Every structure is written in structure tokens, then in C-alpha cells.
Amino acid sequence: GALRKMTRANFVSGVGGTNEAEFSVIISGSGSTSLADSTAVIVPFASEEYDPDGVFNTSTHKFTAPSAGKYFFNWTIRKSGFTASRFYIDIVQNASGKATFENGGGSIYASIGGSIILDLAQNDTVYGNYYQNSGSSVNISNNGTRFSGFKLIG
């Protein structure tokens, strides 16, 4: 659409619109969550910080688009005291990988994360698959791991 001059009237009237399909989820509880070695698993986001439109399923750990459009997503996963040659999250749309955010060996408490904009159809799902290859099961930090998103206006 056309750009609108930022005036006091436009600012007060809320130019841009209201966010839709907004959510923020974390892993339940404090402490850490154990994840298997050399196996891609869905990050178990099971606790909603907010989800006014009911777009995130805490049982399947997936976001479902309520309508077609462009959506912004953000992820962060924090290691809980381990090293691995590969440590990443694949961003998945309807079982198809869209992006990979990775941190190799690095710090034993490093974080990986990133943001992406995806063009979704109604009922498309988005989730994160986590992978590490340290040689054994490891823990990720529950309070340092989160997933959020919303539909872009326009």
C-alpha cells in the first residue's frame, strides 16, 4: 500500500493495524530439558506466555496459521552445559525445512536463534526441529529457549 505521512492524527488512530495470530511459548518449568543425540526432534514448547488467538498447540508444539499471509517468527535455544560439533534448529513449514540456525562446538552455554518471515497458507504449520551430536543426550535451558511469532500487517 501507499506510504502515509506520520501525523499526530495518524499516530493516535493506530496507522498500521492490530497484530494477529501472535504468540510466545517456552519449554515448561524451570531447569532443563533432555534431548537425544544425533536425532532431530521437535522442540517441546509446551507453555504459553501468551496466545490470545489460540494459534499454538502445546501438545504438538506447532504453530498453525489461522489465515493466509506473511508471518514473522523468532527462535532461541540455549545449551545447558555441553559441547557438540553440530548444534542447530531447523525451521520447518509443513514438514519442509525452510532455514537452519546453527552454532558449532562453541561455548557450553551458547545460544542459537534467528528470525524468519514465511508466506503461509491457512492451516500451514511451523515448528522447530532441534539437533545435536555430542555423543549422548544433553540438556537445553528451559528458560533460555523460546519461540514467538505473529502475522505481519498489510
Side-chain angles (χ1 to χ4, degrees), residues 67-79:
S67 60
K70 291 187 177 15
Y71 289 80
F72 174 88
F73 298 101
N74 187 64
W75 281 266
T76 301
I77 297 179
R78 185 172 186 260
K79 291 179 179 179

Side-chain angles (χ1 to χ4, degrees), residues 30-45:
S30 61
S32 58
T33 297
S34 179
L35 297 175
D37 178 56
S38 300
T39 303
V41 295
I42 294 177
V43 181
F45 294 109

Side-chain angles (χ1 to χ4, degrees), residues 64-100:
T64 301
S67 60
K70 291 187 177 15
Y71 289 80
F72 174 88
F73 298 101
N74 187 64
W75 281 266
T76 301
I77 297 179
R78 185 172 186 260
K79 291 179 179 179
S80 187
F82 69 91
T83 59
S85 60
R86 307 264 340 250
F87 170 54
Y88 65 82
I89 183 172
D90 279 330
I91 308 312
V92 181
Q93 176 184 344
N94 299 330
S96 177
K98 293 296 180 182
T100 300

Side-chain angles (χ1 to χ4, degrees), residues 14-125:
V15 172
T18 302
N19 283 337
E20 297 177 11
E22 58 190 313
F23 72 96
S24 180
V25 292
I26 57 175
I27 297 176
S28 292
S30 61
S32 58
T33 297
S34 179
L35 297 175
D37 178 56
S38 300
T39 303
V41 295
I42 294 177
V43 181
F45 294 109
S47 183
E48 296 173 327
E49 293 183 304
Y50 63 92
D51 184 9
D53 299 318
V55 294
F56 193 86
N57 184 321
T58 57
S59 297
T60 63
H61 315 297
K62 296 178 181 180
F63 165 85
T64 301
S67 60
K70 291 187 177 15
Y71 289 80
F72 174 88
F73 298 101
N74 187 64
W75 281 266
T76 301
I77 297 179
R78 185 172 186 260
K79 291 179 179 179
S80 187
F82 69 91
T83 59
S85 60
R86 307 264 340 250
F87 170 54
Y88 65 82
I89 183 172
D90 279 330
I91 308 312
V92 181
Q93 176 184 344
N94 299 330
S96 177
K98 293 296 180 182
T100 300
F101 302 111
E102 182 167 2
N103 175 336
S107 166
I108 61 173
Y109 291 100
S111 293
I112 54 173
S115 300
I116 189 170
I117 295 173
L118 295 173
D119 193 5
L120 304 180
Q122 184 175 10
N123 296 320
D124 277 0
T125 59

